[in-house]
Amino acid sequence: MGRGMKVIPTRSWTSSSSVSKNNHLIHTGVRHLGAAVKQEALLNARLVCRQWDALATKHLFRRIALMHNSNDPTFAKWNQIVSSPIVQSAAGEVEIYSIRPPGIHASCGGYGLERDDDIWERWGDGEWPEFLSAINGIAGLPNLGAVKIVFSQGCEGSDEKGDRWEIVENFWTRMHTIENVFIAILQRKALASAKDSSRSGITPITSLTIENLQNRRFEDFDDDFLSTDIFRSVVEDITELRLQVTHEYTEYGPDYDIYMRERHEFEPWLQKELLPCFASRLTSLHISFLENWGVAPGYFDGKGLHFPNLKSLTLGEYVVGHHDQFEWVLAHTTLETLCLDRCVIVSYLHYNDDDIRRWGNIPTHDWKKVSGDERLYSFSGTWEQVFDRIRVGLHNLVQFRMRNVVDQHSKLRTPDELGCRLTAERYVTFSSGICPSPWLETKPDGTMEWPELPRENGGDYLKYPGVNRAKETQEGDMKAFKERVSAVKIELR
């Protein structure tokens, strides 16, 4: 100790109220650390004192992930984690990855996946004891309330194409993952309901997220899957459902993926079969696709859907192509939050010669044929009409978000991650003859992309230069948008 320095004794007393207040402040500080900074900060927070250690640990292990590592084929590290009393007490959310994600240089099609072909072939038949045992580990997490299943984006459609040069995750392995996660949730639920169980305090799992759900009906895996006790028992507790849907994608087309069977079947099945299973308890619903959906070739108008307790709805990439297609949203007057993430109105649709006849189930009401080509249709719908109907119909709305920014990597965004801004990309065109995607993005200035359309009787190609639906509707759309936004007091940004 330096010369002239002395230790001044301090009084070591605290009142119960000050202790309580300090505990609250510490808890709040650590909670904000967990939400705002990286994992390293929480690790450092644990070194401050015992109290910070306990609180930081709780937030550090609040969300845990079951991931694949070629150096740990038996999932020993995961099994060690879920066996820890600290983790068992802290874990409230779990993410289960079906396969090791592709490297950072892999394309959006899911190429670059790492897997053992022998294991993967057996998993296609439901045989992978190490992974099954790891999944079952969630049964030992008493405070778990949310489960997220993460698949890769690349998938193979229902029409067999033979060998593919790229590695994709097939439908059967995906469904075995879903099935066994549901079995583990059911086993956990059985522990909580057992009369002689010491685990009566187990919380129900009320939030389910599936990222990159393949656009195929579950009945392709098991005709009775939606009516099984496994499925029904899990679904009856779900109040928050978040789905991101992926589809067959071949980067080096044209492979005309739009003609695959599931592109026509999935959206009607989603509307009429899957979503009604969740209807009674759902308070929050988020449905997003990796490509525009709802109009063609699969159709989704929400008719018949009724969620009596729905408070929050987020739609990603949803397309409005008929005047009554938004009615199902407006019918849910209980909504307090509505988010439209990259949702668009389709203004022009062009079909190949016999597409509408071949598909048979494509509604064409509200469409008008454009002079010069019997296969080209226009739709007169505007965002002004949609905004006005939201303002008038959804009286309980307190939060509204809308964005049309094109993302390189789509994800399930929360309302807090979405801005509220009207952009020119809110209108789009469709052409069934364009590959790999029939949806043609609008330029930032509102100019709509057009393919060169051959005339029905030959001759020169039809061209429609200078079409700008956003510019045509700007005044009315903006006025209605501002009125919608001001009604819920959201600042434009």
Side-chain angles (χ1 to χ4, degrees):
M1 183 177 295
R3 184 177 299 176
M5 298 181 65
K6 61 181 180 179
V7 176
I8 300 176
T10 60
R11 299 176 67 181
S12 57
W13 62 269
T14 55
S15 68
S16 59
S17 61
S18 63
V19 170
S20 177
K21 183 177 181 180
N22 288 338
N23 287 345
H24 174 71
L25 290 174
I26 293 173
H27 178 76
T28 301
V30 174
R31 177 168 55 83
H32 284 296
L33 277 175
V37 298
K38 295 181 179 180
Q39 187 179 36
E40 289 79 2
L42 286 173
L43 292 173
N44 291 332
R46 296 182 64 191
L47 303 177
V48 175
C49 64
R50 289 183 179 180
Q51 194 171 13
W52 275 66
D53 178 32
L55 293 171
T57 298
K58 179 179 179 180
H59 290 281
L60 185 64
F61 294 108
R62 180 179 60 85
R63 181 187 294 116
I64 59 175
L66 169 55
M67 304 189 74
H68 298 251
N69 188 330
S70 57
N71 296 322
D72 185 15
T74 63
F75 302 94
K77 184 66 175 178
W78 163 263
N79 293 330
Q80 179 183 357
I81 289 174
V82 296
S83 297
S84 164
I86 294 176
V87 175
Q88 290 175 353
S89 175
E93 304 174 31
V94 64
E95 298 179 357
I96 298 174
Y97 288 77
S98 62
I99 191 171
R100 188 175 184 181
I104 59 174
H105 300 296
S107 73
C108 64
Y111 317 138
L113 296 177
E114 297 182 17
R115 71 183 189 192
D116 183 300
D117 289 338
D118 291 336
I119 291 178
W120 211 247
E121 185 174 352
R122 286 188 284 113
W123 185 225
D125 295 326
E127 299 177 7
W128 193 353
E130 296 84 0
F131 189 35
L132 291 176
S133 177
I135 292 174
N136 288 334
I138 69 174
L141 304 175
N143 297 315
L144 199 62
V147 171
K148 180 179 180 180
I149 306 172
V150 183
F151 298 107
S152 57
Q153 286 188 16
C155 61
E156 188 172 48
S158 58
D159 299 328
E160 297 294 335
K161 292 185 176 182
D163 294 334
R164 300 170 62 118
W165 70 268
E166 76 274 24
I167 297 175
V168 295
E169 194 174 2
N170 68 48
F171 175 69
W172 311 108
T173 58
R174 292 169 185 264
M175 288 304 302
H176 280 304
T177 299
I178 291 175
E179 180 182 45
N180 284 283
V181 169
F182 277 32
I183 289 174
I185 295 174
L186 182 60
Q187 291 174 344
R188 180 180 179 275
K189 189 173 180 179
L191 289 174
S193 61
K195 291 183 179 180
D196 58 346
S197 175
S198 60
R199 296 175 141 185
S200 58
I202 293 178
T203 62
I205 291 175
T206 60
S207 176
L208 174 64
T209 300
I210 304 180
E211 187 173 306
N212 295 319
L213 172 69
Q214 185 171 350
N215 63 337
R216 288 187 64 176
R217 304 175 312 128
F218 289 178
E219 285 83 352
D220 290 347
F221 173 75
D222 180 348
D223 288 339
D224 301 318
F225 190 84
L226 296 185
S227 60
T228 60
D229 290 339
I230 297 171
F231 180 80
R232 292 288 182 180
S233 181
V234 171
V235 164
E236 68 182 11
D237 292 328
I238 300 300
T239 60
E240 179 186 44
L241 177 65
R242 306 171 77 231
L243 302 176
Q244 183 186 63
V245 181
T246 189
H247 58 275
E248 166 80 17
Y249 177 88
T250 304
E251 185 176 20
Y252 300 103
D255 287 320
Y256 298 100
D257 299 332
I258 193 174
Y259 294 101
M260 289 189 171
R261 176 169 59 88
E262 64 269 18
R263 288 291 189 100
H264 305 260
E265 294 179 346
F266 182 79
E267 283 139 89
W269 174 81
L270 178 68
Q271 174 179 328
K272 299 174 183 178
E273 302 295 335
L274 182 62
L275 291 180
C277 297
F278 296 84
S280 61
R281 296 201 61 191
L282 215 58
T283 61
S284 178
L285 175 62
H286 187 151
I287 309 175
S288 181
F289 281 52
L290 296 182
E291 186 171 78
N292 296 131
W293 64 286
V295 170
Y299 189 62
F300 185 107
D301 63 4
K303 290 181 179 178
L305 286 177
H306 178 56
F307 305 101
N309 302 305
L310 195 64
K311 302 293 184 183
S312 177
L313 175 64
T314 299
L315 298 175
E317 301 280 0
Y318 186 60
V319 182
V320 176
H322 297 87
H323 292 302
D324 61 352
Q325 201 171 347
F326 212 72
E327 289 292 334
W328 73 279
V329 176
L330 301 173
H332 289 90
T333 56
T334 54
L335 282 176
E336 298 175 358
T337 297
L338 176 62
C339 300
L340 305 178
D341 188 8
R342 308 180 311 281
C343 294
V344 294
I345 290 177
V346 59
S347 299
Y348 296 94
L349 307 97
H350 179 267
Y351 289 88
N352 283 341
D353 292 336
D354 60 348
D355 282 349
I356 291 182
R357 179 189 59 80
R358 184 196 313 180
W359 292 342
N361 60 346
I362 299 295
T364 59
H365 65 279
D366 299 329
W367 297 355
K368 293 183 178 180
K369 291 184 178 180
V370 176
S371 177
D373 191 338
E374 290 294 312
R375 300 160 299 174
L376 180 62
Y377 297 84
S378 67
F379 172 55
S380 63
T382 66
W383 279 108
E384 177 183 7
Q385 297 166 345
V386 175
F387 294 144
D388 282 343
R389 299 179 73 187
I390 292 174
R391 178 173 53 83
V392 173
L394 299 180
H395 301 289
N396 293 311
L397 210 61
V398 295
Q399 188 174 44
F400 177 72
R401 295 285 187 267
M402 179 173 178
R403 68 189 288 273
N404 285 101
V405 178
V406 178
D407 297 318
Q408 183 178 2
H409 301 290
S410 298
K411 67 174 186 176
L412 292 165
R413 300 182 184 276
T414 65
D416 291 339
E417 295 177 294
L418 299 174
C420 195
R421 183 182 177 190
L422 193 69
T423 63
E425 294 94 332
R426 63 189 182 273
Y427 293 96
V428 73
T429 55
F430 171 91
S431 179
S432 65
I434 299 299
C435 296
S437 173
W439 298 98
L440 304 175
E441 294 178 358
T442 299
K443 294 181 179 179
D445 65 357
T447 302
M448 308 186 83
E449 294 285 350
W450 282 92
E452 292 188 338
L453 306 177
R455 295 182 184 273
E456 291 181 283
N457 299 322
D460 295 336
Y461 280 75
L462 290 169
K463 296 183 179 180
Y464 300 88
V467 176
N468 190 321
R469 190 66 176 139
K471 185 176 181 180
E472 296 170 0
T473 63
Q474 178 65 20
E475 182 178 354
D477 284 1
M478 181 58 74
K479 180 177 182 293
F481 175 71
K482 289 182 176 180
E483 290 175 349
R484 169 62 274 166
V485 170
S486 63
V488 293
K489 300 179 180 180
I490 296 178
E491 181 181 355
L492 296 179
R493 64 179 187 271

